């Protein structure tokens, strides 16, 4: 990353979530020298803790936010069919009908509009159209629905993605085009020349080194930390971001027999029950949060709320013993009104509070590319006022993410790849859906080091080669990065990854040069984090949950 005495960057992005990574990719592919700094790990905030859906948003349709839904459906088609077909997958959902008569035509009309908007977009729809189902058909597809609770359903399709891997892949794609990406680098202030922002003061949290990074324009994509960044420029800026907490539960797939995901209406919003490999993800809540932003905590009340609503439609109720994993994230909502957070807009806004600084906030995972384009269009206006600037148009609608090029061919070769590597075809399928055509890198590693074809102890869904690759190619620096974001071991095992922690740390340590004391420290930190989260999930209030969670701070 550029230091004080070295060449100035064209664009410096602050924040390594999906929007920040998207801005870095947009900037570098316009031909601009680009850097990105993130104070923790890529996607360590909101962008790894979403519902993992790439969708138009039926709820926004009901709120009559047609522009947002149309834009999101267009991006859904683009990601699914062109930019990231290896990461983004169609998923069927049932919309259960609980009232006879009026509900079917009402919901059916909404879903017809939803599909119509998707088909009218610039890109392929990529998923089947909705279909009306009788009560008997629903019983075949989802035998665990309580029969007395529904009168039928409508099946429709949306898409899902591993959000943290999407962010990491966008950042790697940006780096492959020449962007410099640095994690564990915290911005502590801005460099000014008169009114103009000309760079940032930052600290490398790994080494403790202070840095000055100069850039012609800074793009702040710090999400729920937007207000804090605004304070660094003297409170200049018109954005006010309110954090809304959303929690999700992960339960084993066999706890609910259903071939499709489904939606449960709540008094304020909707609850998604989403198929996720050998698991279900159930969420989310939507409540204001003004406590620790780095570690939002799920309370027992949050968990009870979700279980209570999903159990209303199930034959066999779920309880706390069925919950494998819990995660909580914060949505950065643009506010200004006194509305409840479940009603605040997911629209995004770009502002330039002082010359040389562009700020973007709001939005949703699905529309990250549009947000990044809008931010860079605003940054381009700022750059044009500096000598020698030549800012081209955005081309990210044509830039396939790393692993997309050649993915379809590799998917067709899955049986051959399995034979060559001595792995089961199901293993190859799993790797293809996480790495796309970059599976070649992992199979080459296995060829060089056959022992890496073994599963991770106590986390058998993953191979040891994935842990090594996370360090060598995906920027993982700490145990937490691998267990919670490069993989999802922390939410997909009943022990939250506790037993996999040491073998994973030892694999990482061999690549990163850790001694035994460092390995012990990484494992100890991770175990304390898991224990703090478990204690927070027994607390009755947000305040008590927060107090329990902050007892395990960041490792750096």
């Amino acid at each position: 990353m550029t230091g004080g005495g070295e060449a100035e960057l064209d664009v410096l992005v602050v924040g390594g979530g999906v929007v920040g990574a998207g801005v870095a990719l947009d900037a570098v592919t316009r031909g601009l020298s680009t850097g990105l700094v993130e104070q923790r790990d890529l996607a360590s905030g909101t962008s790894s803790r979403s519902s993992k859906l790439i969708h138009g948003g039926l709820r926004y349709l009901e709120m009559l936010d047609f522009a947002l839904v149309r834009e999101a459906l267009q991006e859904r088609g683009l990601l699914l069919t062109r930019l990231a077909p290896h990461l983004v997958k169609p998923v069927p959902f049932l919309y259960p009908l609980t009232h006879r008569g009026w509900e079917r035509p009402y919901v059916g009309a909404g879903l017809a509009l939803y599909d119509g908007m998707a088909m009218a977009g610039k890109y392929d729809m990529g998923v089947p159209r909705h279909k009306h189902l009788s009560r008997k058909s629903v019983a075949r597809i989802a035998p665990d629905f309580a029969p007395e609770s529904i009168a039928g359903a409508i099946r429709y399709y949306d898409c899902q993605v591993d959000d943290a891997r999407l962010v990491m892949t966008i950042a790697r794609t940006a780096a492959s085009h020449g962007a410099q990406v640095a994690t564990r680098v915290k911005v502590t202030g801005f460099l000014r020349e008169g009114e103009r922002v000309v760079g940032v003061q930052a600290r490398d949290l790994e080494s403790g080194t202070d840095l000055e990074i100069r850039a012609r324009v800074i793009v702040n994509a710090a999400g729920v930390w937007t207000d804090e960044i605004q304070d660094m420029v003297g409170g200049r800026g018109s954005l006010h971001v309110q954090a809304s907490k959303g929690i999700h539960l992960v339960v084993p797939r066999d706890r609910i027999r259903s071939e499709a995901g489904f939606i449960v209406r709540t008094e304020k919003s909707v609850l998604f029950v989403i198929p996720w490999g050998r698991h279900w993800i159930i969420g989310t809540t939507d409540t204001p949060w003004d406590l620790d932003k780095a570690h939002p905590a799920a309370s027992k009340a949050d968990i009870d709320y979700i279980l209570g609503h999903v159990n209303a439609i199930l034959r066999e109720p779920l309880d706390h013993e069925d919950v494998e994993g819990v995660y909580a994230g914060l949505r950065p909502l643009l506010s200004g009104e006194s509305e409840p957070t479940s009603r605040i807009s997911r629209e995004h806004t770009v502002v330039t509070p002082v010359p040389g600084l562009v700020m973007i906030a709001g939005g949703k995972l699905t529309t990250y590319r549009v947000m990044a384009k809008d931010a860079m269009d605003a940054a381009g206006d700022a750059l044009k006022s500096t000598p020698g600037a030549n800012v081209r148009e955005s081309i990210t609608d044509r830039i396939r993410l790393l692993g997309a090029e050649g993915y379809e061919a590799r998917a067709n070769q899955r049986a051959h790849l399995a034979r060559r590597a001595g792995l089961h075809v199901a293993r190859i399928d799993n790797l293809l859906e996480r790495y796309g055509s970059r599976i070649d890198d992992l199979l080459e590693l296995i060829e060089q080091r056959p022992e890496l074809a073994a599963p991770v102890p106590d986390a058998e869904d993953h191979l040891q080669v994935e842990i090594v690759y996370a360090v060598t190619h995906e920027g993982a620096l700490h145990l937490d990065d691998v267990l919670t974001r490069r993989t999802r071991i922390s939410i997909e095992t009943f022990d939250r990854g506790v037993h996999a922690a040491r073998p994973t740390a030892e694999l990482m340590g061999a690549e990163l040069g850790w001694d035994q004391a460092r390995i012990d420290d990484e494992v100890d930190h991770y175990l304390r984090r898991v224990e703090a989260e478990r204690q927070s999930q027994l607390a009755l209030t947000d305040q008590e949950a927060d107090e329990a969670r902050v007892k395990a701070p960041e490792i750096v």
Side-chain angles (χ1 to χ4, degrees):
M1 185 57 72
T2 310
E6 296 177 40
E8 178 184 51
L9 293 165
D10 290 325
V11 178
L12 176 68
V13 184
V14 178
V18 73
V19 177
V23 172
L25 179 59
D26 191 288
V28 76
T29 54
R30 291 186 194 220
L32 301 168
S33 61
T34 304
L36 180 150
V37 292
E38 159 57 45
Q39 66 176 337
R40 294 187 292 164
D41 182 29
L42 294 169
S44 57
T46 304
S47 295
S48 59
R49 306 179 198 188
S50 73
S51 296
K52 315 199 187 311
L53 292 175
I54 297 291
H55 65 141
L58 280 179
R59 181 152 65 99
Y60 313 128
L61 195 61
E62 198 167 32
M63 292 160 72
L64 307 182
D65 198 343
F66 299 124
L68 179 63
V69 175
R70 188 184 302 111
E71 182 178 82
L73 286 169
Q74 190 158 291
E75 291 301 305
R76 183 190 76 178
L78 183 61
L79 281 161
L80 174 64
T81 63
R82 186 189 298 178
L83 302 185
H86 56 313
L87 301 176
V88 177
K89 300 294 175 188
V91 58
F93 283 98
L94 298 180
Y95 193 114
L97 303 171
T98 54
H99 302 91
R100 294 186 182 280
W102 65 269
E103 193 178 22
R104 189 179 285 277
Y106 173 73
V107 175
L111 285 166
L113 180 58
Y114 197 65
D115 285 349
M117 283 181 172
M119 288 188 291
K122 282 195 290 188
Y123 311 109
D124 288 346
M125 179 169 161
V127 299
R129 298 182 62 182
H130 74 282
K131 184 180 180 183
H132 286 261
L133 301 173
S134 66
R135 195 168 166 177
K136 192 181 285 186
S137 298
V138 174
R140 277 199 304 273
I141 294 169
D144 276 354
F145 280 8
E148 68 282 0
S149 67
I150 60 165
I154 303 175
R155 182 176 60 205
Y156 76 99
Y157 282 79
D158 256 321
C159 294
Q160 68 180 175
V161 71
D162 184 326
D163 47 6
R165 291 199 62 80
L166 175 67
V167 175
M168 179 274 299
T169 304
I170 297 166
R172 281 190 70 197
T173 308
S176 75
H177 289 286
Q180 300 176 68
V181 178
T183 58
R184 296 328 190 293
V185 173
K186 181 177 183 176
V187 171
T188 54
F190 286 99
L191 302 174
R192 307 286 283 268
E193 286 180 4
E195 266 289 277
R196 189 174 188 85
V197 170
V198 295
V200 301
Q201 295 159 325
R203 168 160 285 206
D204 180 341
L205 299 178
E206 294 287 342
S207 66
T209 307
D210 288 322
L211 307 166
E212 284 194 354
I213 307 167
R214 300 183 75 82
R216 290 159 69 197
V217 67
I218 313 292
V219 179
N220 174 59
V224 293
W225 280 273
T226 294
D227 289 10
E228 284 81 346
I229 297 287
Q230 282 187 154
D231 289 345
M232 287 183 196
V233 284
R236 299 281 294 275
S238 55
L239 295 179
H240 178 57
V241 172
Q242 186 171 340
S244 164
K245 182 178 70 166
I247 82 137
H248 294 81
L249 310 182
V250 182
V251 303
R253 192 69 180 264
D254 63 9
R255 298 301 194 273
I256 305 171
R257 290 178 301 157
S258 177
E259 294 168 22
F262 53 96
I263 283 180
V264 179
R265 296 292 310 217
T266 70
E267 58 278 5
K268 289 189 289 190
S269 183
V270 294
L271 206 62
F272 286 99
V273 181
I274 306 158
W276 181 254
R278 298 195 299 115
H279 316 269
W280 295 98
I281 291 175
I282 309 174
T284 183
T285 56
D286 203 336
T287 54
W289 178 267
D290 57 6
L291 301 165
D292 181 39
K293 289 178 180 173
H295 306 108
S299 67
K300 184 175 183 295
D302 291 327
I303 296 168
D304 287 343
Y305 172 87
I306 287 182
L307 290 175
H309 279 92
V310 78
N311 284 341
I313 204 169
L314 294 178
R315 194 189 294 264
E316 291 289 329
L318 300 172
D319 64 24
H320 286 260
E321 299 299 309
D322 294 311
V323 176
E324 290 175 290
V326 181
Y327 63 93
L330 299 178
R331 302 177 194 85
L333 303 183
L334 289 171
S335 94
E337 307 97 307
S338 56
E339 299 180 78
T341 56
S342 59
R343 298 292 300 175
I344 296 175
S345 176
R346 299 292 192 270
E347 298 271 11
H348 65 274
T349 298
V350 180
V351 297
T352 306
V354 293
L357 176 65
V358 172
M359 307 191 77
I360 182 161
K364 58 203 285 278
L365 179 72
T366 306
T367 55
Y368 81 86
R369 194 194 65 81
V370 177
M371 294 175 68
K373 176 185 178 299
D374 290 350
M376 275 311 303
D377 286 345
D381 292 340
L383 284 166
K384 283 170 189 168
S385 65
T386 61
N390 179 21
V391 183
R392 295 173 178 83
E393 292 295 307
S394 174
I395 58 167
T396 52
D397 60 340
R398 304 193 295 281
I399 300 290
R400 300 189 83 188
L401 299 187
L402 228 54
E405 203 64 58
Y407 160 69
E408 293 86 353
R410 287 291 173 275
N412 287 342
Q413 296 163 347
R414 54 199 278 278
H416 167 70
L417 295 175
R419 280 196 303 275
R420 199 185 88 198
L423 295 170
H424 194 281
V425 172
R427 287 281 187 202
I428 296 293
D429 288 342
N430 192 26
L431 293 174
L432 281 166
E433 291 189 4
R434 294 165 55 71
Y435 305 93
S437 59
R438 290 284 160 166
I439 191 174
D440 293 356
D441 298 343
L442 288 98
L443 297 183
E444 196 176 310
L445 261 174
I446 288 173
E447 212 168 290
Q448 294 162 5
R449 298 164 62 182
E451 71 278 7
L452 296 181
V456 176
D458 294 296
E460 280 75 15
D461 283 355
H462 294 278
L463 301 179
Q464 293 183 26
V465 69
E466 296 179 69
I467 309 302
V468 171
Y469 191 78
V471 174
T472 58
H473 288 73
E474 296 179 344
L477 298 176
H478 293 282
L479 180 59
D480 203 47
D481 300 349
V482 171
L483 293 179
T484 62
R485 286 174 292 277
R486 303 306 182 275
T487 72
R488 291 314 178 94
I489 292 168
S490 67
I491 58 168
E492 292 179 348
T493 54
F494 274 108
D495 73 349
R496 314 276 170 100
V498 164
H499 288 95
R502 185 163 294 278
T504 302
E506 285 168 353
L507 283 164
M508 293 181 70
E511 303 302 319
L512 291 166
W514 293 347
D515 60 16
Q516 194 57 50
R518 174 65 187 274
I519 290 171
D520 292 345
D521 189 42
E522 291 278 339
V523 173
D524 178 63
H525 172 268
Y526 183 77
L527 299 189
R528 282 189 288 119
R529 196 204 97 161
V530 169
E531 183 53 30
E533 286 182 348
R534 285 193 185 279
Q535 291 305 314
S536 73
Q537 289 153 22
L538 299 174
L540 294 176
T541 66
D542 278 357
Q543 186 71 48
E544 292 166 336
D546 179 65
E547 287 167 8
R549 178 61 186 89
V550 296
K551 288 177 181 170
E554 291 291 316
I555 193 157
V556 293

